[in-house]
């Protein structure tokens, strides 16, 4: 595949690894990536094992499904129980456990839940089923959020009124600052996400560099991109620099994608958001502006959802579920405070076949990545 | 979830394009990226072209890697 295979060359990878090992390090250095696609690529390619022992690559809150709060997952399950509703979702969400069950369970109980590849597929379902109400579960970071906004824009332009979005989109730079300022984690730099940077522009990390004196390097998802990104970070650390660099210059630019950002801004506004493991972070979530409330599932279904969510919460799950839920360390994993094998449930009570927390469910979750490739 | 791959634009019609990789074609919304030309490489995520791939920058990075290999 053009512009992919070239970035997977084993010989070049070896040279990059040699260069990384040639950099003199006295202390442990911790870098964090905040993108599930980086998490998966690092685990799959075995990069962690190729690096010097002092270099630690941690995964942060980069998997959108994983950071979605339990309360929000319960609301998603409630939509599946509303009469005449078709729930549409990206596949990763299907098996995430709510307080009771999951979308997969709702589907097997007869709910109409459909996995889509694109928000435009969800719109097609709405067009094809005018008598039904189609709800899209809008989870994602800045890469995905513009595609959600575009579906609402199309629905607006074409007057499609049986389509709506339950929006739990999130933005990543402020949580990065929260983690940068946590002395318990003690980060030395960020490997910044490839495609979030493509949308928001690498300038979004300027504050991290200036305020926290942390090196930032935006890097692509191919093995050579990641190795080169780590090399650039290590060079900054060893030379005492903190700069905002871009390894992924073939796609990500300083200013990102202005058209996508403008659309996001015209339809959505920042709101406080609940992050699993981190808690409430002001202005890191997005909600649909009131002018577009006709496509806001939270507003349209407010009354119908309320009762169902209350019922779900009264049920509280079984005692086994509660005990497991308490022991699950997803929150600590998402902050980079522990790595998955340090969780007492990892690969024992919690496996991809029987996941307890979302980090084991999502194909991009840290626990799933460690389970598959680094056990 | 943010995975996206480079695909080549085969045809364009308004805000839609047919894009191709390894002989597989699919539709992509290109409303974030006008103007595009047939032959351009775009990064496709969940049915949307989110950025044009800058071939000059790609070659520069590859050139850098090539020097590494020879070093």
């Amino acid at each position: 595949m053009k512009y992919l295979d070239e970035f997977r060359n084993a010989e070049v990878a070896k040279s990059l690894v040699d260069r990384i090992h040639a950099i003199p390090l006295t202390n442990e250095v911790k870098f964090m990536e905040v993108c599930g696609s980086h998490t998966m690529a690092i685990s799959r390619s075995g990069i962690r094992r190729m690096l010097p022992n002092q270099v630690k690559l941690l995964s942060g809150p980069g998997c959108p499904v994983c950071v979605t709060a339990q309360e929000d997952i319960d609301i998603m399950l409630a939509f599946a129980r509303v009469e005449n509703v078709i729930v549409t979702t990206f596949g990763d969400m299907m098996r995430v456990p709510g307080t009771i069950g999951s979308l997969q369970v709702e589907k097997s109980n007869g709910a109409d839940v459909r996995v889509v590849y694109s928000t435009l597929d969800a719109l097609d379902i709405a067009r094809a089923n005018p008598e039904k109400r189609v709800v899209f579960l809008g989870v994602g970071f800045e890469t995905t959020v513009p595609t959600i906004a575009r579906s609402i824009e199309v629905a607006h332009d074409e007057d499609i009124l049986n389509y709506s979005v339950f929006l739990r989109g999130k933005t990543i730079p402020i949580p990065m600052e929260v983690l940068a300022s946590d002395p318990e984690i003690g980060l030395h730099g960020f490997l910044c996400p490839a495609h979030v940077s493509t949308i928001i522009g690498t300038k979004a990390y300027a504050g991290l560099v200036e305020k926290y004196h942390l090196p930032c390097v935006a890097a692509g998802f191919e093995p050579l991109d990641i190795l080169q990104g780590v090399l650039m970070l290590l060079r900054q650390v060893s030379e005492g620099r903190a700069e905002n660099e871009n390894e992924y210059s073939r796609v990500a630019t300083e200013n990102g994608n202005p058209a996508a950002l403008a659309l996001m801004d015209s339809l959505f506004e920042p709101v406080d958001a609940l992050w699993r493991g981190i808690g409430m972070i002001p202005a890191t979530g997005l909600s649909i502006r009131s002018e577009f409330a006709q496509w806001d599932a939270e507003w349209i279904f407010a009354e119908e959802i309320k009762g169902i969510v209350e019922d779900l919460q009264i049920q509280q799950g079984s005692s086994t579920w509660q005990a497991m839920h308490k022991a699950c360390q997803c929150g600590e994993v998402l902050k980079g405070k522990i790595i998955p094998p340090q969780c007492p449930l990892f690969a024992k009570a919690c496996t991809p076949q029987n996941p307890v927390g979302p980090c084991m469910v999502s194909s991009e979750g840290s626990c799933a990545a460690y389970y598959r490739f680094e056990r | 979830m943010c995975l996206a791959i480079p695909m080549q634009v085969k045809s364009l019609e308004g805000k839609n394009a047919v894009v191709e990789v390894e002989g597989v074609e699919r539709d992509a919304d290109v409303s974030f990226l006008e103007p595009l030309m047939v032959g351009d490489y775009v990064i496709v995520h969940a049915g949307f072209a989110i950025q044009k791939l800058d071939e000059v920058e790609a070659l520069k990075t590859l050139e850098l890697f090539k020097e590494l290999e020879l070093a």
Side-chain angles (χ1 to χ4, degrees), chain A residues 24-82:
Chain A
L25 292 173
T26 42
N27 298 315
E28 188 178 78
V29 181
K30 287 184 193 170
F31 299 133
M32 179 178 272
E33 40 78 9
V34 289
C35 176
S37 301
H38 269 148
T39 306
M40 209 54 196
I42 289 167
S43 280
R44 187 172 46 218
S45 57
I47 284 176
R48 225 183 307 270
R49 288 193 298 273
M50 299 174 201
L51 301 177
N53 287 335
Q54 302 103 303
V55 180
K56 303 286 180 223
L57 294 184
L58 301 174
S59 297
C63 155
V65 168
C66 305
V67 298
T68 302
Q70 197 67 41
E71 293 88 324
D72 292 332
I73 291 167
D74 285 340
I75 297 174
M76 293 177 194
L77 298 184
F79 278 111
R81 295 187 182 190
V82 178

Side-chain angles (χ1 to χ4, degrees), chain A residues 1-3 6 11 16 19 37 64 117-119 143-144 146-147 150 195 198 228 249-251 257 364, chain B residues 1-4 15 22 26 29 31-32 41 45-48 50-51 54-55 57 62 64 68-69 71:
Chain A
M1 283 185 271
K2 200 168 176 198
Y3 297 120
E6 301 92 313
E11 285 305 307
L16 285 167
R19 300 226 159 183
S37 301
Y117 159 73
S118 165
T119 54
T143 316
T144 310
T147 75
R150 174 73 181 140
H195 293 134
T198 299
Q228 174 74 2
S249 60
R250 63 188 184 278
V251 175
N257 186 325
E364 294 196 332
Chain B
M1 200 181 248
C2 292
L3 210 56
K15 290 181 185 297
E22 302 262 282
R26 61 165 305 140
D29 180 302
S31 54
F32 303 138
Y41 279 85
H45 165 72
F48 287 79
I50 57 165
Q51 192 55 279
D54 184 332
E55 296 190 66
E57 284 295 326
L62 290 172
L64 191 86
L68 270 181
E69 219 179 344

Side-chain angles (χ1 to χ4, degrees), chain A residues 125-202:
Chain A
I125 293 172
R127 287 189 192 97
N129 297 278
E131 74 294 351
K132 297 274 188 179
R133 300 181 292 172
V134 175
V135 176
F136 178 75
L137 305 178
V139 168
F141 292 124
E142 292 95 327
T143 316
T144 310
V145 168
T147 75
I148 300 170
R150 174 73 181 140
S151 73
I152 295 176
E153 188 188 37
V154 173
H156 170 270
D157 293 349
E158 293 181 18
D159 220 18
I160 303 173
L161 294 174
N162 65 328
Y163 174 75
S164 62
V165 173
F166 175 62
L167 187 63
R168 281 298 180 270
K170 290 183 172 62
T171 52
I172 198 81
I174 295 174
M176 287 168 82
E177 290 202 21
V178 171
L179 297 167
S181 58
D182 188 333
E184 240 186 87
I185 308 172
L187 290 180
H188 299 89
F190 279 107
L191 193 71
C192 300
H195 293 134
V196 163
S197 305
T198 299
I199 300 293
I200 65 176
T202 55

Side-chain angles (χ1 to χ4, degrees), chain A residues 190-261:
Chain A
F190 279 107
L191 193 71
C192 300
H195 293 134
V196 163
S197 305
T198 299
I199 300 293
I200 65 176
T202 55
K203 68 178 179 193
Y205 314 115
L208 275 167
V209 173
E210 280 163 30
K211 255 169 71 189
Y212 303 96
H213 201 71
L214 274 184
C216 285
V217 176
F221 293 138
E222 297 310 314
L224 297 192
D225 290 316
I226 295 168
L227 286 170
Q228 174 74 2
V230 170
L231 178 61
M232 289 164 81
L233 282 169
L234 278 172
R235 280 188 177 143
Q236 289 201 41
V237 169
S238 74
E239 292 163 16
R241 292 182 289 126
E243 288 169 21
N244 191 7
E245 296 182 318
N246 183 10
E247 184 279 333
Y248 197 44
S249 60
R250 63 188 184 278
V251 175
T253 61
E254 192 184 349
N255 292 319
N257 186 325
L261 287 171

Side-chain angles (χ1 to χ4, degrees), chain B residues 2-65:
Chain B
C2 292
L3 210 56
I5 58 163
M7 298 180 85
Q8 193 173 30
V9 176
K10 288 291 167 187
S11 65
L12 280 160
E13 201 188 325
K15 290 181 185 297
N16 294 299
V18 174
V19 291
E20 179 264 343
V21 66
E22 302 262 282
V24 177
E25 291 192 349
R26 61 165 305 140
D27 294 328
D29 180 302
V30 295
S31 54
F32 303 138
L33 284 187
E34 294 153 299
L36 278 176
M37 279 170 30
V38 170
D40 283 343
Y41 279 85
V42 289
I43 302 297
V44 179
H45 165 72
F48 287 79
I50 57 165
Q51 192 55 279
K52 195 168 134 176
L53 185 138
D54 184 332
E55 296 190 66
V56 175
E57 284 295 326
L59 293 175
K60 267 196 223 166
T61 306
L62 290 172
E63 208 47 49
L64 191 86
F65 290 154

